[in-house]
Amino acid sequence: MHAVVLVGGFGTRLRPLTFSTPKPLLPIANVRQLEHLIAALGTAGVTEVVLAIGFKPQPFLDAFPDGVCAGVALHYAVEPEPLDTAGAIAFAARHAGISDTFIVMNGDILCDVDLTALVAFHKAHDAEGTLHLTPVDDPSQYGVVEIDADGWVQRFVEKPQPGETSSNVVNAGTYVLEPAVLDRIPENQKMSIERVVFPAMVADSRLAAMATDDYWIDTGRPDTYLQANLDLIDGSRSRILSSVGVNAHVAASASITHSVIGDNCVVEDGCVVSDSVLLPGAHIGARVRLERSLVMGSVGDGASLVDCVVGLDGHVSPNASLVGVKVPDPSEVAN
Ligand code: GTP
């Protein structure tokens, strides 16, 4: 079976980290997000993953030079220009010659849904497409999906007002699709699958949906990206990964609590690091205090960072005291 993984977004909300690394290639507990995702697809019997790349293919080619990720063969489909979600799925599927039932996944989610069960649900319904749904605490921030007792989608309610719907399940970013869906998407045209194609399928009563309450997180924001990392080291999930990467140098006098230290990081004497993620190659000077922060670049001696994001080109001055700051400030960086 084929899967299309959407990796062509701009990752705006995770800037400045995504200035240097596309979101799906950022590590989650020292393993690239894409590897987590493709490993799950491989377990469900996917033998070829088509990466739908909207722009900048090189980082993906460099990351997997032999064209294999987590034991699964990769096929690269680079759009002439970013085609939005439906345009990207159709471009990728045509590029790879997909002619049978296939899975689609957003490249910025992590979840434990049983993909084999999702495909079985889709086939049992003889649906044209099947969505995976997940419950959320505050539906007012999302596009909520209403389904009937048989598992068919009835309607989408975008950012519902209180009382507008009794549903609290949202599109979780994984789909099973029949190739017939491609007939709804013109070639090389920008189109959203969520806003255009799925509503058309609902109108034809051809879109099913399966809700599960397994672990699920959209890693696209700094707070959720941080959370996804910590969930994999502290036992919140069924798997526990190592919190320290290879060739990391952590001074014996540094205190590290509930944090991920990436490959080739340096943490000098007397640092106090908690609930934070150091990305590969980060350099943390002596006596630095880091709390709930993401660091790719360098932090000078004696600095204090709370709720901060430091990109690859970010250099925090010695003794700086920053709260809720992005370094460099994405709004001041030319793309
Ligand atoms: P933000 O800029 O922070 O909103 O991130 P994003 O654009 O990466 O994420 P969004 O949630 O809007 O996109 C959902 C999924 O679709 C992500 O996995 C994106 O990588 C992917 N995606 C969005 N637009 C495109 C596109 O034009 N082409 C391709 N190939 N993928 C896309």
Side-chain angles (χ1 to χ4, degrees):
M1 186 168 44
H2 278 90
V4 172
V5 179
L6 292 168
V7 295
F10 291 102
T12 322
R13 294 162 297 164
L14 267 184
R15 289 176 179 170
L17 302 182
T18 46
F19 281 142
S20 59
T21 309
K23 188 163 53 173
L25 295 180
L26 288 173
I28 312 267
N30 290 317
V31 176
R32 289 185 189 99
Q33 166 143 9
L34 201 51
E35 291 187 53
H36 287 288
L37 208 143
I38 293 180
L41 288 166
T43 304
V46 168
T47 49
E48 187 174 61
V49 162
V50 188
L51 291 183
I53 304 179
F55 69 122
K56 284 211 284 194
Q58 201 57 42
F60 293 95
L61 298 167
D62 293 345
F64 308 106
D66 54 359
V68 175
C69 173
V72 178
L74 298 177
H75 179 112
Y76 297 91
V78 185
E79 293 140 50
E81 57 171 334
L83 291 174
D84 204 345
T85 44
I89 292 166
F91 180 87
R94 289 178 183 129
H95 200 269
I98 293 178
S99 59
D100 205 349
T101 309
F102 62 106
I103 297 176
V104 175
M105 271 187 135
N106 283 355
D108 52 3
I109 53 157
L110 280 183
C111 69
D112 286 341
V113 64
D114 180 344
L115 292 166
T116 306
L118 188 67
V119 174
F121 182 98
H122 170 83
K123 296 225 159 141
H125 280 71
D126 193 22
E128 187 179 326
T130 297
L131 311 182
H132 172 224
L133 306 178
T134 190
V136 291
D137 291 337
D138 177 11
S140 69
Q141 301 302 312
Y142 295 88
V144 168
V145 183
E146 289 181 352
I147 48 176
D148 69 14
D150 297 323
W152 291 97
V153 177
Q154 298 300 298
R155 129 175 131 119
F156 294 96
V157 190
E158 198 55 40
K159 300 197 172 142
Q161 301 293 313
E164 202 181 339
T165 176
S166 58
S167 172
N168 71 335
V169 285
V170 303
N171 177 352
T174 300
Y175 322 123
V176 184
L177 302 180
E178 290 304 310
V181 172
L182 305 177
D183 297 339
R184 299 176 182 271
I185 309 169
E187 279 193 38
N188 292 334
Q189 192 171 306
K190 275 191 190 177
M191 187 180 278
S192 159
I193 196 143
E194 299 88 346
R195 288 188 299 277
V196 179
V197 180
F198 288 155
M201 290 165 74
V202 171
D204 295 343
S205 304
R206 299 293 293 131
L207 189 64
M210 185 178 100
T212 71
D213 61 1
D214 322 88
Y215 179 90
W216 178 87
I217 192 164
D218 171 348
T219 62
R221 302 194 316 249
D223 61 330
T224 55
Y225 174 67
L226 181 65
Q227 185 70 45
N229 273 269
L230 302 183
D231 287 345
L232 266 172
I233 61 164
D234 67 7
S236 298
R237 296 182 62 186
S238 48
R239 298 169 67 213
I240 300 181
L241 298 189
S242 165
S243 58
V244 182
V246 295
N247 290 326
H249 293 283
V250 180
S253 60
S255 156
I256 313 285
T257 312
H258 198 219
S259 296
V260 175
I261 312 295
D263 299 345
N264 305 306
C265 285
V266 174
V267 182
E268 294 189 14
D269 277 317
C271 288
V272 179
V273 178
S274 61
D275 303 311
S276 294
V277 175
L278 307 188
L279 287 117
H283 189 124
I284 312 299
R287 302 176 316 284
V288 166
R289 182 172 151 247
L290 287 182
E291 217 176 294
R292 291 187 305 277
S293 292
L294 302 164
V295 180
M296 238 182 194
S298 64
V299 181
D301 295 353
S304 166
L305 274 64
V306 179
D307 295 319
C308 289
V309 184
V310 181
L312 187 64
D313 297 329
H315 304 289
V316 176
S317 307
N319 301 315
S321 181
L322 308 178
V323 178
V325 172
K326 295 184 179 184
V327 186
D329 181 347
S331 63
E332 291 172 5
V333 175
N335 289 309

